[in-house]
Amino acid sequence: MAFHGSCHCGKVTFTVDADLPGQALSCNCSYCRRKGMLLAFFPTGKFTLESGEDSLRSYKFNTHKIDHQFCVDCGTQPFSMATSPDGTPTRAVNLRCVPALDLNALEIQYYNGADR
């Protein structure tokens, strides 16, 4: 079953053709820590940007391997684009942008991005 998400103002909307995840990654890198994101990763083919492409801007830092997408109107980052270690194009969905998800029920996996 697919799930939906959006930025805060609703201009950027997306659908992921997958069940709601039960786990999330919490990274402590300088960016994720400041944003407070909880991430889940999906193959690009499972992700559909429904609206708001013209409202998205890109932010890259450090190695420039992750393309962080944020809404220029509300500043929310609903997802990022990258390539997984095995070479698969991937979307990292910010689960805080998925209203149907109970964030308190997620199993959180911590990632030490600060030391990478």
Side-chain angles (χ1 to χ4, degrees):
M1 178 183 263
F3 65 89
H4 308 278
S6 69
C7 66
H8 186 258
C9 71
K11 289 187 179 175
V12 177
T13 62
F14 62 89
T15 300
V16 179
D17 187 18
D19 291 334
L20 285 168
Q23 296 180 342
L25 182 127
S26 177
C27 176
N28 68 350
C29 77
S30 61
Y31 189 71
C32 291
R33 179 180 170 154
R34 283 171 174 79
K35 289 286 208 176
M37 292 185 289
L38 293 174
L39 302 170
F41 302 87
F42 302 92
T44 297
K46 299 281 186 181
F47 180 92
T48 303
L49 181 63
E50 302 289 348
S51 67
E53 185 173 2
D54 56 335
S55 292
L56 286 171
R57 296 298 180 272
S58 174
Y59 178 71
K60 297 179 182 179
F61 72 102
N62 196 12
T63 62
H64 296 257
K65 291 182 180 179
I66 302 172
D67 188 355
H68 301 274
Q69 296 288 297
F70 67 94
C71 174
V72 296
D73 295 300
C74 66
T76 303
Q77 181 185 320
F79 67 95
S80 297
M81 301 181 293
T83 303
S84 69
D86 70 0
T88 305
T90 302
R91 295 295 182 263
V93 173
N94 181 1
L95 296 178
R96 293 189 185 277
C97 294
V98 178
L101 189 61
D102 178 3
L103 297 175
N104 293 323
L106 289 171
E107 177 185 330
I108 306 298
Q109 298 175 330
Y110 296 95
Y111 179 76
N112 187 6
D115 291 334
R116 301 252 170 206

